[in-house]
Structure formats: C-alpha cells, structure tokens
Amino acid sequence: MSGPGARRCEDWHDGGLSPARCADAMTDIPTEQEHSLATPSAASVPSGAAPASGVPTASAEAAPSAQPPAAAARGARSGSPSRRHGRGRRQPPAAPGAAEAPQGAARAPRATPPVLEQLAELYPGLFGAVFLPLKRGIFQDLLQAHPEVLDREALKAGLAIHTRSTRYLQSVAAGLQRHDLSGQAVEAMAPEHVHHALLEVFRRRQSRGDDLRPKLLQRLAQAFEASGLSREAYEERVRGRDDAANALLDEAMAEAAARRAKDEALLRAFENGGQTVEVFAGMYGMDPRAAALTLERARQRRALVVAG
C-alpha cells in the first residue's frame, strides 16, 4: 500500500521487522509460535506500538478470527453486549432492496475472539471499554497468572489482534505509558512507537476520505517535542524506508522548528519587557495560562541546548 504513513508491519521499527517479529515491539510475544486520531493533552504525548504478530495480513479490525461454536452461540445471544466493546450497538434496519443485494455485499459483524473476551473479564481496565498500552512481557505475565485459564496459542493470536486494532494504536498514538496487569503505568512508550502509531491510525482513517493531514502534522510535531530528543536523534529513531512517511516527517519537523522559533522570540520579548505574565499575555492577545506554558516550554528547550 502506498500513500502517507502506509508503513506495513515489516517496515516498522528499524525499517526491517518481519511480520513475525512485530509483536515483540509491543508485548514481547514469543516468536515461536481502527474514530479519528486520538487527541492527547499537550503535556503528554507518549510512544507507539508496532503492530503485533500472529495476524498474517491487514489490521486486526479487518481480520475476522475463528471461534468455537459455543463462543459463537454466546456472541449471538441478544441483550448481552461484550464488556470489551462496551454497550452493544443496535443494528440499523435493512435498506429497501437489501434482500436483492449480491451475496457478500454487506459485511457481517466481526466476532471478538473468546480469549479477548476472557481478558476483558479478567482485566477490564486494560482490555475492556478502554484499551491501555501493555508492558513488554505481558504475554508471559498472563500465562503465569492464569496457566489453567488461558491457552498459549489462543492468547498469542488474541494479543496480536488486540495490539493491531485501531483502538489500541490510538492509545499508543496518544502517548500513554505501558501498563502492567495491575493497571499501573510502568514504562514510557518509545518515541518511534508513538510516531508509527500516529502514521498507522492516520492511514486507516484517511482511507475513509477524511482530510486529517493538517492534524497529523500537528500531532507528529507534538510527539517530537514530547520525546525530548534532538532533531537528529529523533529522526534516527523514526525515519524509515517509506518516502511518503518520511515526507510527512520532514513537514512535521519544519512545523516544530517554526514553533520553537516563535516560542523563543516570545521568551526574549518577555525577558526584555519586564512585565508580569498577565500583562505580557494581554499585550499579545494570549490567554495568561497559555502564555505561561509557552514561556516555560521555551525555557526548557533553552536549558536543554545549554546542557547539550
């Protein structure tokens, strides 16, 4: 697939992961064996997860999974929405003439693998209505915690589907930290994971015809700022072999540089003026709190440059 951000699993993380190794970047699953871009607060934009392995093609939301007759029967019961997906959605009435539509024209609802229903029951804070990024090694943690409940191969395939879903990638793109089974944040996302998750969510949403490019560029610039890395160090970690994705990165870097220059100019004007933040903000038509944040951000960048 070509186009902005169209980085397949094999192109993620160092530009050379095979599909069988993508899971390791996310949850350390042993190798033997899709809403709009999430909007984080300006203060926290953490790391992305490379898609997990175990699913040979496309995204988890485009890859139906087989499930036993008993599980299928359970999913077919009325009035029992999945905890993993929150409230059940009422299906719209069939359009006139729908009966004459060619077979296969309408997509059947995708069933949730039983193991993911199990995980939603066991850990609703991680796998329930809201998805949280998972710590590395969560696969082994789950097996050790529930050796008699969770099947190894089913868990491996389920986690692969889960970590490739758009909802999961959105949590990564939002910069949330990785969490353990107790729901505690234990590790920051790597900058390259945040970057690639943003590109993948953009690619999926863009395929629906929405113009999210301006938003994407803003979010990519924010992710760079939040990384605390120099431009050179950041690009070394996120730049890959996809020319379209690299072009987006270049635009985002230019946007971030322009923002930094503007912030630095405001800081110099504030330091030379001698006014309070409130008076200074009024002079420039800024909200005092936004002005204070901008000035502090510029001070922090200046300190990093001096320290470096």
Side-chain angles (χ1 to χ4, degrees):
M1 178 175 296
S2 60
R7 297 174 60 83
R8 288 294 188 182
C9 183
E10 62 268 25
D11 292 329
W12 282 32
H13 193 49
D14 294 337
L17 282 184
S18 67
R21 287 293 299 169
C22 283
D24 293 341
M26 208 42 247
T27 59
D28 283 347
I29 300 174
T31 56
E32 77 274 16
Q33 45 157 351
E34 191 188 299
H35 211 70
S36 62
L37 292 171
T39 305
S41 63
S44 70
V45 183
S47 105
S53 66
V55 181
T57 60
S59 70
E61 306 216 354
S65 59
Q67 68 175 342
R74 182 176 70 245
R77 294 174 190 160
S78 60
S80 57
S82 162
R83 280 195 184 185
R84 173 178 167 84
H85 297 293
R87 281 183 155 181
R89 295 181 180 176
R90 178 174 297 179
Q91 295 298 322
E100 291 79 27
Q103 185 176 4
R107 232 187 216 178
R110 289 183 283 272
T112 300
V115 68
L116 293 182
E117 294 286 9
Q118 285 182 294
L119 293 177
E121 291 285 341
L122 292 168
Y123 303 99
L126 294 177
F127 299 91
V130 176
F131 292 176
L132 289 177
L134 305 172
K135 70 178 284 288
R136 299 172 189 273
I138 203 77
F139 176 78
Q140 293 296 342
D141 293 350
L142 286 165
L143 285 179
Q144 291 173 11
H146 308 281
E148 305 301 325
V149 177
L150 299 174
D151 175 78
R152 181 183 182 87
E153 293 305 313
L155 178 61
K156 177 172 63 177
L159 285 178
I161 291 172
H162 178 77
T163 56
R164 294 183 66 178
S165 69
T166 297
R167 290 173 62 197
Y168 185 86
L169 291 175
Q170 285 170 345
S171 72
V172 171
L176 302 181
Q177 291 186 300
R178 296 179 184 271
H179 293 68
D180 61 16
L181 292 182
S182 65
Q184 298 298 310
V186 296
E187 180 186 1
M189 275 288 179
E192 57 269 32
H193 292 166
V194 176
H195 178 81
H196 296 317
L198 281 166
L199 290 176
E200 179 63 13
V201 173
F202 166 76
R203 181 186 67 79
R204 297 181 187 183
R205 186 61 175 148
Q206 191 78 352
S207 67
R208 297 179 177 181
D210 299 324
D211 183 13
L212 296 176
R213 184 186 180 88
K215 181 68 173 179
L216 174 66
L217 292 175
Q218 180 185 24
R219 292 292 310 283
L220 289 175
Q222 289 175 348
F224 162 56
E225 293 285 355
S227 72
L229 298 172
S230 67
R231 176 167 180 167
E232 293 74 16
Y234 187 80
E235 290 191 1
E236 183 178 355
R237 297 181 69 162
V238 307
R239 190 177 292 277
R241 298 177 297 185
D242 189 305
D243 292 337
N246 290 337
L248 284 168
L249 174 62
D250 291 338
E251 288 187 59
M253 293 296 97
E255 184 171 310
R259 181 180 176 184
R260 287 187 173 191
K262 180 179 178 180
D263 290 354
E264 178 62 26
L266 282 173
L267 178 59
R268 288 198 303 268
F270 174 73
E271 292 174 339
N272 294 332
Q275 302 97 347
T276 64
V277 172
E278 290 74 16
V279 173
F280 179 80
M283 292 172 57
Y284 285 84
M286 300 176 66
D287 177 81
R289 289 176 296 180
L293 288 172
T294 298
L295 294 172
E296 181 59 27
R297 184 171 62 225
R299 291 192 189 97
Q300 291 176 356
R301 292 198 197 104
R302 181 186 289 175
L304 287 174
V305 171
V306 172

